[in-house]
Amino acid sequence: MTPVPAWTTTQQNSDTHILIVDDDFEIRQLLSRYLSEQGFQVTTAESGLKMNQALAKQAHDLVVLDVMLEDVSGLDLCRTLRSKSTTPIILLTALKEDIDRIVGLELGADDYVSKPFNPRELLARIRAVLRRSTQEQAQPTQLTYLFEGFQAEVDTRRVFNSNGVEVALTAGELDLLLVFLQRPGRVLSRDHLLDLTHGKDAASFDRSIDVLVSRLRRKLGDTGRFNLLKTLRNGGYQFVARVDLRRNVLSSRTVN
């Protein structure tokens, strides 16, 4: 008998490799076929164990992860993966409560899609997340934002605190921070922030902005003080710290 592989890979003429993790065979087959037709290289895994085996075998550009797996919680897998990798994660969830989706975003997921879903919606979100995560490979802009002792280097997409220690931000968190740094003092509604960070792919009631703001505050040490970000009732958010822009400065700093 031929042994069953730990994962199944469908390869197309693309350098972008997506890992689909779902215990539903029909969903795996549907997404594998559809995304392959869109030019992606696709690997599927039916469990957390096989997901880890696939990730150990080769790198992936994005993971589509079902929250309700049979062998392990998808949220636990999300937490573990995010603790050791910045690989973008999109959650598939059948959960109806906003709080359940928000937990996934707080654990480091970049986006989520609710079941049942249209494959075209998932494709749009995959492309949006990939656009954000691959910006770091674009031509360096040689711009550095300075605020409250922090240094945000646009060209390297890295942020350092006043002690020179790098602040670990996900692609989505950094995109949101740069939006604020480019518009200091301006009141930005949630819908406007969604347009600036997600474009037309954003859902009209997406709560990801609130989650990203919360995560930014925590990572920048702004929790409870709001020296950087101010919440305005029915108005959105405002970056209240002073921002200075330094041009044509590239940091030679390396982080071990």
Side-chain angles (χ1 to χ4, degrees):
M1 179 180 295
T2 302
V4 178
W7 53 82
T8 302
T9 301
T10 304
Q11 186 170 355
Q12 296 290 321
N13 295 324
S14 173
D15 292 330
T16 304
H17 196 164
I18 298 176
L19 175 60
I20 305 294
V21 186
D22 199 300
D23 55 14
D24 188 310
F25 176 78
E26 292 184 357
I27 289 180
R28 294 199 308 275
Q29 291 294 95
L30 168 66
L31 293 182
S32 178
R33 181 173 61 253
Y34 180 75
L35 294 176
S36 295
E37 291 172 351
Q38 304 305 314
F40 294 102
Q41 182 177 350
V42 181
T43 295
T44 64
E46 64 186 51
S47 66
L49 173 62
K50 293 183 179 181
M51 178 191 103
N52 291 330
Q53 291 174 338
L55 290 172
K57 183 176 185 290
Q58 62 185 124
H60 293 75
D61 298 291
L62 183 142
V63 177
V64 177
L65 176 60
D66 183 23
V67 171
M68 304 292 288
L69 296 174
E70 291 185 358
D71 64 332
V72 65
S73 167
L75 294 179
D76 289 339
L77 290 174
C78 177
R79 180 192 296 108
T80 301
L81 180 58
R82 179 56 66 237
S83 68
K84 58 186 179 182
S85 171
T86 58
T87 301
I89 303 169
I90 296 179
L91 295 178
L92 298 180
T93 174
L95 302 175
K96 301 301 182 182
E97 297 297 327
D98 281 346
I99 187 62
D100 296 309
R101 294 190 287 267
I102 290 172
V103 167
L105 293 169
E106 288 179 335
L107 291 176
D110 296 89
D111 207 342
Y112 66 84
V113 175
S114 298
K115 292 181 177 181
F117 59 88
N118 187 317
R120 293 180 62 185
E121 177 190 0
L122 178 60
L123 174 64
R125 290 181 178 268
I126 286 174
R127 286 175 170 165
V129 170
L130 287 173
R131 280 197 302 270
R132 298 199 303 269
S133 66
T134 55
Q135 283 178 357
E136 61 191 29
Q137 301 174 11
Q139 182 68 28
T141 60
Q142 299 186 7
L143 298 177
T144 302
Y145 290 100
L146 307 175
F147 62 100
E148 292 293 317
F150 291 91
Q151 178 171 312
E153 300 175 352
V154 179
D155 58 307
T156 62
R157 290 181 60 84
R158 300 166 77 182
V159 178
F160 299 88
N161 64 20
S162 58
N163 295 320
V165 178
E166 183 173 3
V167 181
L169 299 179
T170 66
E173 291 165 355
L174 181 58
D175 287 341
L176 182 60
L177 175 61
L178 290 177
V179 165
F180 283 123
L181 294 177
Q182 292 162 0
R183 300 163 180 80
R186 288 181 54 182
V187 176
L188 302 174
S189 69
R190 290 172 176 81
D191 287 342
H192 192 190
L193 289 170
L194 279 170
D195 288 339
L196 292 171
T197 56
H198 288 68
K200 296 180 180 180
D201 300 319
S204 58
F205 297 101
D206 201 329
R207 294 289 305 278
S208 62
I209 291 299
D210 294 329
V211 174
L212 287 174
V213 168
S214 176
R215 281 160 42 181
L216 268 180
R217 281 174 168 159
R218 183 173 67 251
K219 292 185 177 183
L220 298 177
D222 197 35
T223 305
R225 297 186 293 128
F226 309 119
N227 293 333
L228 301 177
L229 283 163
K230 181 178 181 181
T231 303
L232 303 176
R233 181 175 297 179
N234 298 324
Y237 296 99
Q238 180 184 30
F239 197 87
V240 295
R242 173 178 173 175
V243 178
D244 294 315
L245 176 61
R246 180 187 298 164
R247 297 179 182 274
N248 301 320
V249 176
L250 293 177
S251 174
S252 59
R253 181 189 296 105
T254 58
V255 179
N256 294 327

